Structure formats: C-alpha cells, structure tokens
Amino acid sequence: MRASRGSLLLFGALLVATVVLAGANTARAAGVTLLVNGEDVTVDAEPYLKNGRTMVPVKFIADKLGYKSEWVAATKQVKLSRGGDVLWLQVGSTTMYKGAHKTTRVPLDAAPEIQNDRTMVPAKAVTEAFGGSVSWEPTAKVASVITYKAEPFPKKEIVVGLIPSQEAQALADKAKPFAEKLQNHLKLPVKVYVGTDYTATIEAMGAKQVDVGMFGPQSYVLAHDRGYADVLLASVRNGSKTYRSQIVVAKDAPFQSLKDLKGKKIAFVDPASTSGYTYPLAMLIEAGLDPEKDVTLVEAGGHDKTILALLRGDVDAAFSFDDARDIVEKADPNVKKKTRILAKSDPIPNDVMSVRSDLSPYWKAKLKEAFKVLALTEDGKKDLKAIYNIDGFADAKDSEYDIVRRTFRLLKKS
C-alpha cells in the first residue's frame, strides 16, 4: 500500500499543531532563571535575589515539594506540612523552625518577606529542609530546584551516547569539551560514546552501556518503544523545535522534480535516520516513486557522507538534514556552489536528549537540569553548537514524536 499525499500532509499538520515553541514558560526576572527538576516553570510572583538567595513564592515551592501551606495572619507565619513533617517560617525573621512544636531551629540567609501580596521565601533553605536541593549557576544566573532526595549514580561514570550523523572521531572530539563541563557540574566522570552506526548507539543504551543519548527523532522513538529511553529535552535551533529533511542534487543536474529521480542512485544516511532516510523516502513515495523498484539506495553512514558521495559523483542525489552541506564546507568550501536542494520535507521534531528509562526520578531530573543549565552558559552554547549545531534545549514530551512513529509505520505499509 502506497502512502497518499493527503496522509503525509495530515501528518505535517498534526506536527505543527502539537509542537510548542521553546522558552514560552521560563520564569525570568531580574536576570534570574528558575528551573524545577530541570523544567522551565511559571510562577505568580517573579523570583528575585536577596542576600545571594533566590526568593520564590512560598505556595509555589510548597506545591512543588508536595507540602500544604497555611498562612497564619495574626503572627505573619507560614506553616508547611506533610504528614508529620512541619516547617515554620516567620516574615522578617532569619530563623525558621522544624517540627509541629518548633523543636529545631534553622538559620536563614534571607528572611521571608511579602512582595506584591505574595509571601516570598528562600528556595534553597525550604527545599533542603525537606530533603531536596537547590543549586546556583552564577554566570547564567540560573537557580535550579531538585525536589527529589539525592542518591548515588548507579555506575562509576555517566556515558553520553551520540549517533554517528557525521564522521565518528570528529564528532567525539567535538563532544569532549561539553562532556568535561557536564562532569564538573555533576561531580561525576563523564565519557563520550559514538556508535559504529545508529543502531549500535540505541542498543548500547538498551544494554545500559549508554546512560544519556543524543538521538535523532527516529532513533529516540526506536529506543523508547523498546523500553530503553525516555525523553529529557528537545534541541532548539533558530528558536524552533523542528527541522526539515532535504534531497540534494548536483547544481547542473537535469532534475526538476522528485519524479525525475526515477532510475537514479541515491545516498541515504542510516535506516534509523529520520531526516536521512525515513522522511525523504516518504517524499519519494508521495511523488509516486517506489523506493524499492524505482531508485537504487546506497547507505553512506552519515549526513556529511551522503553529501560527499554526491560531490564525488558516486550518486545522483543525497538525503540529509537541512542544511547538512554546512558540515561539509571544511572539506569542500564550494559545496553549496556545486549542489542545490531539489526538495525539502514537512517540519520534523528536532533531535532528542534522552535518558535511560530505568534511571531514578532524581537522576532524570538532575541530568535534565545539568543539560539545561549548561546550555544557558556562553561556553556551553559554543560546545553544543559545535556538536550538533544546537542553540539550546526546550522541555519535551514523548507524544510530540508520535508524528515520527506514524510516518515510519506509513513507510512500512508502502
């Protein structure tokens, strides 16, 4: 059964409807960014710094920690409680008390205060009193709250797995500076792993040899649906959580439409590549071509390698992400003069920062927080740009990648 044009257009419409632009919910005030368990948050009163401490609305922090908050107007006190755990805070006082009868005294660096009819409290002291943690990144001015109790990582080191979308050793070298920053942030050794192909990185996560995966959309879907991975974050480029696939041909090639590729040889990236295989194949099917009968497909092993194969004259066309020719300019500065884009796909969800499904909530939150915070620092931005041309990260959910699942299933039926 062939994929219909209407079906593919419907998938594109669904994608546009479900993707949320990055950064819409980040709480920023007076230069302060607030994250909770690595996620951007909204608050009804803007956070700010006081005596070097991030002040947040008490109801907000209580809700995040799962505690009930009560305001005692007569004494201007706030009571936080859950089961037998009780915390008392006094407006204007640098002392808080723990216990139903205020048996334990805890000093504060910043006294609670009322601002715009909201009781503001120091996030660090309150969170740590209930077993959570708060960290501060001074260069990017990010306050990060982790509500889960800290625990040791289950291995001696964290392994970050990359899919070989470009030459493997070059990719590993590009990733090392960011891995070093991640190691310093987490206080735990971090190692970079680049698989021999896309499947190798996916299966390494399944074998618990890889803990964090920087996957393309289809690689993530395969890993998630096999029970290996959960989504942490989506990459952002040029303010968007989507990108496109492209089909590139030589500048002087006679092809004017995808139909003209019938009988030709085409380089693809990897069977698990979204933009280097799945989506461009769907484009050929939409144009009325049968990928198994009407064209000859050649696996190149990387987005840069498909373009290089085209430049050498080994193939007539190349599948890649838009615009993979940028990563070939070092090898051939005239690549864009020698080639042209014949067609582009509908928007595709961006690549994914994913984590092993069996990791604890604490470590999922901690890793998400680490990547988000480092992406907000100037050095971290440069490192991510070098690895996969990433500008930053945005919160994401698995359902945003259902469009990739549908497209993949559509190809299998064709």
Side-chain angles (χ1 to χ4, degrees):
M1 175 181 174
R2 291 184 182 275
S4 68
R5 178 180 180 86
S7 297
L8 291 172
L9 290 175
L10 174 61
F11 291 158
L14 285 171
L15 171 63
V16 172
T18 56
V19 170
V20 180
L21 288 179
N25 296 321
T26 306
R28 299 174 188 270
V32 177
T33 297
L34 180 63
L35 304 175
V36 176
N37 294 330
E39 294 190 1
D40 300 334
V41 294
T42 55
V43 292
D44 60 0
E46 296 177 334
Y48 58 89
L49 292 179
K50 178 184 178 182
N51 297 338
R53 297 302 180 197
T54 304
M55 305 294 285
V56 297
V58 67
K59 188 177 186 309
F60 161 79
I61 199 67
D63 289 346
K64 292 298 180 182
L65 291 166
Y67 281 75
K68 179 183 178 182
S69 62
E70 300 176 60
W71 171 248
V72 184
T75 58
K76 291 188 176 181
Q77 288 183 314
V78 176
K79 178 184 178 183
L80 302 181
S81 60
R82 185 181 68 184
D85 294 332
V86 180
L87 188 67
W88 298 86
L89 296 108
Q90 173 80 51
V91 171
S93 174
T94 54
T95 300
M96 68 178 178
Y97 293 91
K98 296 181 72 173
H101 301 290
K102 304 181 181 179
T103 54
T104 304
R105 181 178 180 276
V106 181
L108 298 175
D109 292 330
E113 59 188 16
I114 297 175
Q115 291 282 344
N116 299 322
D117 296 324
R118 294 289 185 270
T119 304
M120 308 295 286
V121 298
K124 181 177 176 65
V126 175
T127 301
E128 291 181 349
F130 290 127
S133 59
V134 176
S135 60
W136 171 251
E137 208 300 314
T139 59
K141 294 185 178 180
V142 182
S144 176
V145 176
I146 302 292
T147 62
Y148 303 105
K149 185 177 180 181
E151 59 184 72
F153 193 71
K155 294 163 54 179
K156 293 182 179 180
E157 63 182 7
I158 294 174
V159 179
V160 178
L162 308 178
I163 55 174
S165 58
Q166 49 188 285
E167 199 276 320
Q169 187 56 55
L171 183 60
D173 291 341
K174 292 176 184 178
K176 284 180 181 177
F178 188 81
E180 290 174 0
K181 293 178 179 62
L182 189 63
Q183 178 170 298
N184 293 335
H185 186 89
L186 295 171
K187 306 295 189 291
L188 193 67
V190 175
K191 177 183 175 182
V192 174
Y193 167 86
V194 182
T196 54
D197 56 23
Y198 284 43
T199 300
T201 307
I202 294 170
E203 292 304 324
M205 178 169 274
K208 301 182 182 181
Q209 295 169 355
V210 164
D211 307 299
V212 181
M214 298 179 76
F215 288 148
Q218 186 173 314
S219 296
Y220 161 70
V221 165
L222 290 171
H224 176 80
D225 292 355
R226 292 172 187 174
Y228 302 163
D230 289 334
V231 63
L232 278 188
L233 299 162
S235 299
V236 175
R237 295 179 183 86
N238 301 316
S240 175
K241 286 171 62 177
T242 66
Y243 72 119
R244 295 177 188 268
S245 170
Q246 66 182 19
I247 300 177
V248 183
V249 297
K251 190 81 169 182
D252 57 357
F255 317 126
Q256 298 302 314
S257 70
L258 293 179
K259 290 182 179 180
D260 297 334
L261 294 178
K262 186 173 183 178
K264 303 303 178 182
K265 186 182 292 187
I266 304 174
F268 70 92
V269 175
D270 185 286
S273 172
T274 314
S275 59
Y277 185 76
T278 302
Y279 269 70
L281 274 192
M283 293 164 64
L284 294 184
I285 293 170
E286 186 180 8
L289 299 180
D290 184 333
E292 293 185 357
K293 298 178 181 178
D294 294 335
V295 297
T296 300
L297 296 173
V298 179
E299 183 172 354
H303 290 268
D304 54 341
K305 293 177 181 178
T306 65
I307 303 297
L308 290 170
L310 177 65
L311 290 172
R312 291 194 303 267
D314 296 341
V315 295
D316 302 294
F319 295 165
S320 73
F321 65 77
D322 177 27
D323 189 338
R325 295 178 298 174
D326 291 340
I327 60 175
V328 178
E329 284 185 319
K330 187 174 182 180
D332 189 335
N334 296 315
V335 58
K336 291 183 179 178
K337 294 179 180 180
K338 296 178 179 179
T339 62
R340 61 185 170 89
I341 299 170
L342 181 63
K344 288 186 178 183
S345 72
D346 287 333
I348 308 168
N350 270 356
D351 41 309
V352 179
M353 184 64 62
S354 62
V355 65
R356 269 174 40 203
S357 296
D358 64 330
L359 286 182
S360 68
Y362 169 78
W363 275 105
K364 288 179 180 179
K366 190 65 179 174
L367 287 164
K368 185 173 186 176
E369 173 260 350
F371 279 95
K372 186 79 74 70
V373 168
L374 290 176
L376 291 171
T377 66
E378 290 305 314
D379 287 343
K381 289 177 183 177
K382 291 177 184 177
D383 293 342
L384 289 169
K385 194 79 172 177
I387 301 170
Y388 283 140
N389 198 33
I390 295 171
D391 294 330
F393 294 114
D395 296 331
K397 52 188 177 181
D398 178 72
S399 60
E400 293 177 22
Y401 295 84
D402 285 345
I403 185 68
V404 178
R405 292 182 174 94
R406 292 175 188 137
T407 303
F408 186 58
R409 286 197 297 266
L410 190 69
L411 285 184
K412 294 178 76 173
K413 291 179 181 179
S414 64

